[in-house]
Amino acid sequence: MKAKLYFFLKSYFGFSQRESRGLVIVFPVLFLLYLFPSVYDWMLRKKNEQQYEQYLGKIDSLIQAGWQPYNPNPNFSNETFNQDTSKNRINYQRPKSPQLNKLLFNEADSVVLQIVPGIGQTMAGRVVKFRENMGGIHHKDQLLEVYGMTPEVLERVFEYFEFHPEIFRKLAINQSDVSSLAQHPYINYGAAKVIVAYREQHGFYTQADDLLKIKIFNEEWLERLKPYLEF
């Protein structure tokens, strides 16, 4: 049998006769070492189970003999303990997070605006510039005209700031020159030139609807600009 095993190891693995003998001796030892932890755990668990069963047997015997667990204070029951602890229990509550002061939107500068998630330094600068050039904001949706502003960010703006419609500077349309008119976001340079040219030819405007006499302007354009006009 050994001769066949040596021949097999030599033919298939190239072991010498000495190496084959060493492997035959070492392999069973390695196998036993591999099994040893499992066998040891099984024996230890078996021993613990036996000891636990003996312990339960002793407890059962004592109870049958009339044994009662020792109570150092017979006048103190579990019910009394539960009542006492319920009286002295402190109801802890999570403290409320402090709220920041809400400023008026028209008073917020480009630094303070950056508290709004989604508004960085560049966007804050655009918002302030738009508000100042407009002369104030009379409707929240106007901020959507700021480049890069989204409805989601706009909604968050007024979670941090109070909004009150306010126009703090109006456009004196009968006194302003082309450059002054063109600074307003709702009037481009070409429209400003036409407004001034018509005024010079026909005299001062008396009401907003006079601008509709200039055929390039329409009611939609005028309705947006009208709150900012001063005559």
Side-chain angles (χ1 to χ4, degrees):
M1 183 67 181
K2 289 184 180 181
K4 291 182 179 180
L5 180 59
Y6 293 156
F7 179 76
F8 172 79
L9 293 174
K10 181 178 180 181
S11 300
Y12 286 90
F13 297 102
F15 292 161
S16 65
Q17 186 173 1
R18 183 176 180 182
E19 291 172 338
S20 299
R21 288 177 179 174
L23 184 62
V24 169
I25 295 172
V26 170
F27 183 76
V29 175
L30 294 175
F31 182 73
L32 291 175
L33 290 175
Y34 174 78
L35 292 178
F36 177 77
S38 300
V39 174
Y40 178 77
D41 289 343
W42 178 82
M43 293 174 62
L44 186 60
R45 188 168 57 253
K46 198 71 174 176
K47 182 180 180 181
N48 291 337
E49 290 176 355
Q50 292 175 354
Q51 290 178 347
Y52 182 67
E53 289 177 358
Q54 293 174 1
Y55 170 76
L56 292 179
K58 291 179 180 179
I59 294 296
D60 290 339
S61 300
L62 291 172
I63 292 175
Q64 290 175 3
W67 173 78
Q68 294 294 333
Y70 173 68
N71 186 356
N73 188 355
N75 296 321
F76 187 80
S77 63
N78 289 335
E79 183 178 355
T80 305
F81 175 78
N82 292 333
Q83 291 175 354
D84 290 343
T85 54
S86 63
K87 292 178 182 178
N88 298 324
R89 185 180 297 124
I90 300 175
N91 294 323
Y92 291 100
Q93 295 181 352
R94 182 189 298 274
K96 294 182 179 180
S97 299
Q99 299 296 318
L100 299 177
N101 293 329
K102 271 193 171 184
L103 299 179
L104 288 175
F105 172 75
N106 286 329
E107 297 177 356
D109 59 22
S110 59
V111 174
V112 178
L113 280 172
Q114 294 180 52
I115 193 175
V116 180
I119 292 187
Q121 182 178 0
T122 302
M123 175 59 74
R126 290 175 188 164
V127 170
V128 171
K129 183 178 180 181
F130 177 82
R131 186 187 64 199
E132 296 302 316
N133 289 342
M134 289 287 290
I137 303 295
H138 67 88
H139 197 280
K140 295 178 181 179
D141 290 349
Q142 288 180 275
L143 289 181
L144 291 174
E145 300 175 35
V146 178
Y147 178 75
M149 179 64 69
T150 64
E152 294 77 17
V153 175
L154 175 61
E155 184 177 355
R156 289 197 290 267
V157 168
F158 297 106
E159 292 176 2
Y160 289 85
F161 297 95
E162 294 285 352
F163 178 76
H164 297 294
E166 179 184 0
I167 297 177
F168 54 82
R169 185 181 66 253
K170 289 199 172 186
L171 195 61
I173 196 166
N174 288 319
Q175 287 77 36
S176 301
D177 57 15
V178 173
S179 298
S180 299
L181 291 174
Q183 289 179 3
H184 197 278
Y186 290 165
I187 302 176
N188 59 35
Y189 189 77
K193 289 195 299 181
V194 172
I195 290 171
V196 171
Y198 188 91
R199 185 184 69 199
E200 290 176 349
Q201 290 182 9
H202 298 86
F204 286 168
Y205 302 98
T206 59
Q207 59 183 352
D209 288 346
D210 288 346
L211 289 169
L212 294 178
K213 296 176 181 178
I214 303 173
K215 299 303 181 181
I216 63 172
F217 300 143
N218 55 46
E219 291 185 2
E220 183 180 2
W221 173 84
L222 182 60
E223 285 300 317
R224 191 170 68 157
L225 179 63
K226 188 182 293 186
Y228 297 96
L229 298 179
E230 181 178 63
F231 298 90

